[in-house]
Amino acid sequence: MPNNFYNILVPVDFSPRSKWAIAKAIELANTFNCNIHLVHVASTNGLLIADAYTGMFAYNMSADMEFAGKKLQQLKEQYIHHVCNGGKIEISVLYGHPKTELKKYIEQFQIDLLIQGLSKFNLLHRIWSTVSISSLVRKTNIPVLAVRSSGLICHFKKIVLPLHDQVPMRRIRLAAMLGRYFKSTVYVLSVRNKNGDYHVPLLTETLEIIQSLTTIPVQSIILEGKNLAEATLKFSKKINADLIMVPSIKEFYLPGAWNKFTKSLLSYKSKIPVLTVDHNE
Amino acid sequence: MITVIIPVLNEEKTISNVIRHCRKNPLVTEIIVVDDKSQDNTVSVAKEAGAIVYTSHVLGKGFSMKEGISYASNEILVFLDGDIDPYPENTVENLTEPLLLDEADFVKGTFARNAGRVTELVAKPLLNIFYPGLAEFSQPLSGMIAGKKNYFERIKFFNDYGVDIGILIDMYLMKARIKEVNIGYIENKSKPWEALGKMSKEVAKAIITKAQQQNPEDVTEEAVKSLEEINRQMHDVLQENLSHFHKMAVFDMDDTILKGRFIDACAKKFAFTAQLEDLRETETDSIILTKRIGLLLKGKTIDELLNVIHNIEMVKDIKEVIGTLKKKGYIVGIISNSYTLITNYVMKNVGADFAYANQLEFFEGKATGEVGMPFYFFGSPNSICGHSYCKTNAMQYACEKYNVYFKNCIAVGDSKDDRCMVGHAGKGFAFCSKDELLKKIANRQINEQSFQPILTHA
């Protein structure tokens, strides 16, 4: 497990949401003394990191990459003074399919966390982003933190950890690590199933494991509701949570046919930062 | 006339030659051997060789030397070690000549040698700071000395590795005329690193204590800062040099490397199984439990305990697997709640690089029942798990020491005590574990008595 983040990746498309992501990355980098990698993937099929500059015009790869390189350099110069504690900002321009290129980059530079800025108003991009987060998590096997607005995130005082049907070891490890840094409380949630039962052994086991790994305070909560994602969001808003940690599985899709079709994880609707980890927990 | 004093402990193989060497000098009229309660035939061999043998009333080289002085009838005294064979020709003559010619009151023997790390790294830097007048001595820790009895009688002897440097400093402070003479080449074995730590501490303690006694203001802020800076620089260099490992594997010992638990085997052998079970059932605090279990071993000798561990079988392929891990660039360690005496034995047998465990205290070769708990087991504000006493804290200490990320760590354990360590390591293995929660925490399980599966993930 990471007992620390050493390298944080921010995919950059030069939109305002990239800047939110960079701002969050800097906050975390200053907490964990780690490096930030700003990466732009120039691509003709903009899905995840839609290339805002190619659009309807004939695509000129070298011009695009050169332009992106200059913009990244400007970003680096703009943010370098915000990074303290010895962290560095690395910049790279890649070409190819975004997910494939990011996966290669993540493996090469041993990235521990990816931060993705999400649009506030662009519905289409929000749907795409969320879908992409889900597939990116599956493909790269690293946690993806989705952030929707500027503002401090480095105070993860209340971490919500909803349970499904197995002990979420990866999320527990991450929560234990973040919890030690931020002196957080972890709220472990379980929702009653269709028969009205809830998974007591799973809840107990999860609590016991968290206590084996860390001394941070833990609370277990049993929620009413049919949809885990919706119940989690409702609870998180109620307690004013700072972070929700979910796996990339369908049980965490929002309710409704459209959400099911677009595979919308709860990060689609959440104003609270959502950390998505691979479902193979 | 000259008296030679030889403090000894279990030196039957060399003592007769040392005495014979002394008797070659016609001025030596008295050879006193002060025995520190040897368990071999040192006393009879020394008597047979013609020495007067006294048994020391208190253990320790310093006391033996002091007692030897009180028995000596001559004014010129020579101190020799009983374990050096052969001494260079004319050692006694060379040491006593400046005294007989009244050119010196105290003579320090220096010799060409093949070791001296504590001298160079500890004694000389400290002497430079506190006693610059002694910094020129090439071997301030040498135990081959000679001097006038009336000077020796005024000295307060240290009773450990600090004794020789303590004598030198006292002579210097008494304004005795000190001379260093070369007596030739002596084969002197380097001490193992475990002994170097103890020696460094005692030598440093002797120098600093003497400086403080002499003039408390001498141990100034500047001196303390100089020492801290030297330590910091040495530590940084060590860190840099150790940083090439990048990967680490740590193993629990009981029921993991060993096919059994050391304390259970002791309980069986020394018949305290019922007491041990009682303790395990009633005592919930792990620190107090460790301390109370230690008390069950009170009075057991080192040999008895080593005999117990010798009879516990190890997992067959442990040595081979550790060898392969090391070839792959891993630094390999043992982290155990057992005792260093045992973990060091296992470490040497399996070829591991380090072993972290509790310290069972011994006095005169027997366990006192006291258990010292090393600092690295205790939590700090930076502790990753926050537990006050935990193997993870020791693993974190090792990771920081060898500059290894937790995610590049392999941890192997079997019991509840290992849950945290296994959970925090990048790759955790539950080894033949009966603990269901540990199995869930670990990334992988090994259900056979073999460590080979680790290699496929290393």
Side-chain angles (χ1 to χ4, degrees):
Chain A
M1 79 161 263
N3 73 327
N4 204 339
F5 292 131
Y6 300 102
N7 291 292
I8 296 175
L9 171 67
V10 182
V12 177
D13 63 0
F14 309 112
S15 64
R17 56 184 173 270
S18 296
K19 291 193 177 179
W20 303 335
I22 295 170
K24 314 297 181 195
I26 287 171
E27 289 171 28
L28 284 176
N30 287 340
T31 306
F32 293 100
N33 304 341
C34 61
N35 302 320
I36 299 170
H37 298 249
L38 305 180
V39 177
H40 175 79
V41 186
S43 165
T44 47
N45 62 342
L47 268 178
L48 166 65
I49 301 128
D51 192 319
Y53 306 96
T54 53
M56 296 158 61
F57 304 102
Y59 183 68
N60 182 339
M61 185 186 78
S62 58
D64 183 26
M65 289 182 77
E66 196 184 327
F67 179 73
K70 281 181 187 166
K71 294 278 280 181
L72 278 179
Q73 187 59 39
Q74 282 171 8
L75 279 176
K76 182 178 175 177
E77 282 162 15
Q78 185 184 340
Y79 286 105
I80 191 71
H81 304 296
H82 298 238
V83 181
C84 47
N85 299 333
K88 290 176 190 164
I89 296 182
E90 306 287 349
I91 53 171
S92 291
V93 181
L94 310 172
Y95 177 77
H97 189 278
K99 267 184 285 184
T100 313
E101 292 306 312
L102 286 177
K103 184 179 188 303
K104 279 189 213 162
Y105 190 92
I106 283 164
E107 282 167 5
Q108 189 183 350
F109 292 96
Q110 297 188 27
I111 302 294
D112 303 297
L113 174 73
L114 186 148
I115 301 183
Q116 176 74 44
L118 295 185
S119 173
K120 265 182 183 170
F121 306 111
N122 184 333
L123 180 64
L124 193 62
H125 187 269
R126 278 170 65 163
I127 295 165
W128 273 350
S129 300
T130 314
V131 172
S132 296
I133 285 170
S134 175
S135 59
L136 200 67
V137 167
R138 280 199 294 270
K139 192 150 188 170
T140 60
N141 200 24
I142 64 162
V144 174
L145 177 66
V147 289
R148 176 143 282 127
S149 61
S150 53
L152 289 175
I153 57 158
C154 68
H155 300 294
F156 293 142
K157 292 288 180 195
K158 294 175 187 171
I159 299 175
V160 175
L161 203 155
L163 299 179
H164 172 50
D165 62 353
Q166 57 177 318
V167 177
M169 273 315 299
R170 285 195 71 181
R171 281 186 289 150
I172 287 175
R173 289 183 176 116
L174 272 168
M177 188 262 280
L178 292 169
R180 277 290 293 162
Y181 271 97
F182 298 113
K183 297 183 171 57
S184 325
T185 300
V186 174
Y187 296 82
V188 181
L189 308 184
S190 181
V191 175
R192 284 182 198 274
N193 65 18
K194 285 170 191 166
N195 306 322
D197 303 327
Y198 48 88
H199 214 322
V200 175
L202 177 65
L203 206 56
T204 317
E205 228 169 44
T206 305
L207 286 180
E208 208 176 333
I209 288 176
I210 294 176
Q211 279 157 359
S212 295
L213 297 185
T214 180
T215 50
I216 60 173
V218 194
Q219 288 190 26
S220 62
I221 316 282
I222 295 158
L223 299 175
E224 301 293 339
K226 287 178 185 170
N227 182 277
L228 191 52
E230 204 169 36
T232 302
L233 270 180
K234 206 172 159 187
F235 173 80
S236 304
K237 278 182 200 165
K238 200 172 165 185
I239 64 159
N240 202 13
D242 302 297
L243 180 70
I244 305 170
M245 301 176 87
V246 296
S248 57
I249 54 172
K250 64 179 181 186
E251 282 73 17
F252 287 87
Y253 292 162
L254 289 162
W258 171 248
N259 289 324
K260 216 170 183 179
F261 174 70
T262 55
K263 297 181 179 174
S264 300
L265 283 168
L266 62 84
S267 43
Y268 170 71
K269 210 176 168 183
S270 175
K271 286 181 183 168
I272 300 163
V274 177
L275 189 67
T276 310
V277 301
D278 187 34
H279 67 288
N280 290 321
E281 299 196 294
Chain B
M1 296 297 115
I2 300 166
T3 297
V4 178
I5 301 170
I6 312 168
V8 291
L9 177 67
N10 297 330
E11 277 143 23
E12 64 176 6
K13 287 179 186 164
T14 49
I15 189 65
S16 63
N17 283 347
V18 177
I19 294 168
R20 217 166 290 135
H21 172 83
C22 298
R23 292 181 69 183
K24 283 182 194 166
N25 187 312
L27 293 175
V28 175
T29 57
E30 189 177 42
I31 300 171
I32 295 174
V33 168
V34 188
D35 179 55
D36 226 358
K37 297 191 176 118
S38 296
Q39 291 182 336
D40 61 5
N41 298 318
T42 304
V43 172
S44 55
V45 173
K47 278 182 183 167
E48 218 168 275
I52 307 163
V53 181
Y54 296 98
T55 300
S56 178
H57 292 96
V58 184
L59 294 182
K61 188 181 174 186
F63 284 108
S64 299
M65 290 171 83
K66 197 157 181 68
E67 284 186 36
I69 293 164
S70 67
Y71 298 131
S73 52
N74 294 317
E75 181 53 24
I76 292 178
L77 310 181
V78 174
F79 288 89
L80 294 181
D81 290 337
D83 60 345
I84 291 176
D85 182 33
Y87 272 98
E89 284 293 314
N90 306 325
T91 298
V92 177
E93 285 87 330
N94 289 334
L95 283 172
T96 52
E97 194 182 353
L99 301 168
L100 294 167
L101 296 172
D102 200 27
E103 289 172 357
D105 304 311
F106 177 68
V107 179
K108 193 96 176 154
T110 172
F111 47 93
R113 58 174 298 178
N114 54 349
R117 286 169 285 181
V118 179
T119 302
E120 298 301 328
L121 295 172
V122 182
K124 285 189 177 178
L126 285 176
L127 287 174
N128 250 314
I129 292 170
F130 295 111
Y131 298 102
L134 295 175
E136 294 302 313
F137 281 83
S138 62
Q139 282 165 20
L141 304 184
S142 157
M144 273 146 283
I145 53 175
K148 293 181 179 167
K149 189 178 175 185
N150 61 336
Y151 279 90
F152 280 121
E153 281 172 337
R154 285 186 271 158
I155 285 175
K156 191 180 173 192
F157 286 79
F158 280 92
N159 201 28
D160 47 31
Y161 285 117
V163 62
D164 297 308
I165 190 75
I167 294 170
L168 178 66
I169 293 171
D170 279 343
M171 290 288 181
Y172 175 73
L173 294 175
M174 283 191 287
K175 302 200 186 320
R177 291 169 297 162
I178 306 172
K179 198 165 181 182
E180 196 172 34
V181 296
N182 194 327
I183 56 171
Y185 178 80
I186 285 178
E187 182 68 30
N188 196 16
K189 285 177 190 165
S190 295
K191 289 193 166 51
W193 65 266
E194 295 95 330
L196 286 181
K198 184 174 159 52
M199 191 175 176
S200 303
K201 184 182 172 183
E202 290 171 358
V203 167
K205 191 179 165 192
I207 298 172
I208 294 170
T209 307
K210 291 274 181 197
Q212 269 183 322
Q213 283 168 358
Q214 174 68 15
N215 190 353
E217 288 85 43
D218 266 5
V219 186
T220 58
E221 181 77 13
E222 195 186 336
V224 173
K225 279 189 176 165
S226 309
L227 289 172
E228 283 174 352
E229 181 61 17
I230 291 167
N231 274 337
R232 200 169 60 80
Q233 293 299 336
M234 281 170 65
H235 179 260
D236 287 353
V237 172
L238 272 174
Q239 286 290 94
E240 272 173 35
N241 290 350
L242 290 172
S243 66
H244 67 278
F245 283 109
H246 304 308
K247 292 185 283 187
M248 183 191 291
V250 292
F251 292 78
D252 171 44
M253 185 183 75
D254 290 311
D255 273 337
T256 305
I257 292 177
L258 300 180
K259 288 183 178 176
R261 303 189 77 78
F262 169 72
I263 195 66
D264 289 349
C266 284
K268 207 172 164 188
K269 181 162 183 183
F270 305 120
F272 58 75
T273 307
Q275 289 161 277
L276 182 65
E277 290 307 321
D278 271 359
L279 275 179
R280 281 175 175 158
E281 273 175 32
T282 53
E283 190 52 74
T284 51
D285 186 305
S286 58
I287 296 177
I288 298 173
L289 180 66
T290 306
K291 293 261 183 197
R292 292 185 67 183
I293 289 176
L295 283 172
L296 297 174
L297 296 172
K298 188 175 178 180
K300 306 291 175 284
T301 65
I302 291 176
D303 283 349
E304 283 174 326
L305 297 178
L306 288 175
N307 191 36
V308 172
I309 184 66
H310 183 71
N311 289 320
I312 302 177
E313 202 183 335
M314 292 186 199
V315 173
K316 265 186 185 172
D317 58 8
I318 179 67
K319 210 170 169 178
E320 183 191 334
V321 169
I322 287 180
T324 312
L325 285 171
K326 286 170 87 169
K327 274 183 198 158
K328 288 186 172 191
Y330 279 82
I331 181 154
V332 182
I334 297 169
I335 297 182
S336 168
N337 286 333
S338 188
Y339 310 110
T340 45
L341 174 76
I342 308 306
T343 53
N344 285 343
Y345 173 91
V346 175
M347 176 184 81
K348 281 174 189 161
N349 272 279
V350 300
D353 299 298
F354 67 87
Y356 293 162
N358 295 309
Q359 181 81 39
L360 186 64
E361 304 291 345
F362 290 90
F363 182 70
E364 294 183 14
K366 287 182 178 176
T368 61
E370 291 291 316
V371 178
M373 299 174 134
F375 68 93
Y376 42 68
F377 280 119
F378 289 93
S380 70
N382 297 326
S383 160
I384 172 151
C385 65
H387 294 134
S388 57
Y389 179 82
C390 182
K391 287 182 179 179
T392 306
N393 294 326
M395 185 165 78
Q396 187 172 357
Y397 170 75
C399 279
E400 283 164 11
K401 183 174 174 184
Y402 295 107
N403 205 11
V404 177
Y405 293 164
F406 262 58
K407 65 180 179 181
N408 296 332
C409 257
I410 290 175
V412 191
D414 74 296
S415 67
K416 193 178 170 185
D417 289 344
D418 303 314
R419 284 180 192 167
C420 188
M421 177 173 82
V422 167
H424 282 283
K427 286 167 192 158
F429 288 84
F431 184 78
C432 300
S433 177
K434 289 170 192 158
D435 185 81
E436 290 304 318
L437 220 53
L438 177 71
K439 288 181 188 174
K440 290 221 160 112
I441 290 171
N443 306 75
R444 293 158 190 96
Q445 289 180 44
I446 300 174
N447 296 317
E448 56 197 315
Q449 288 284 335
S450 165
F451 291 110
Q452 284 294 336
I454 293 172
L455 296 178
T456 56
H457 301 284

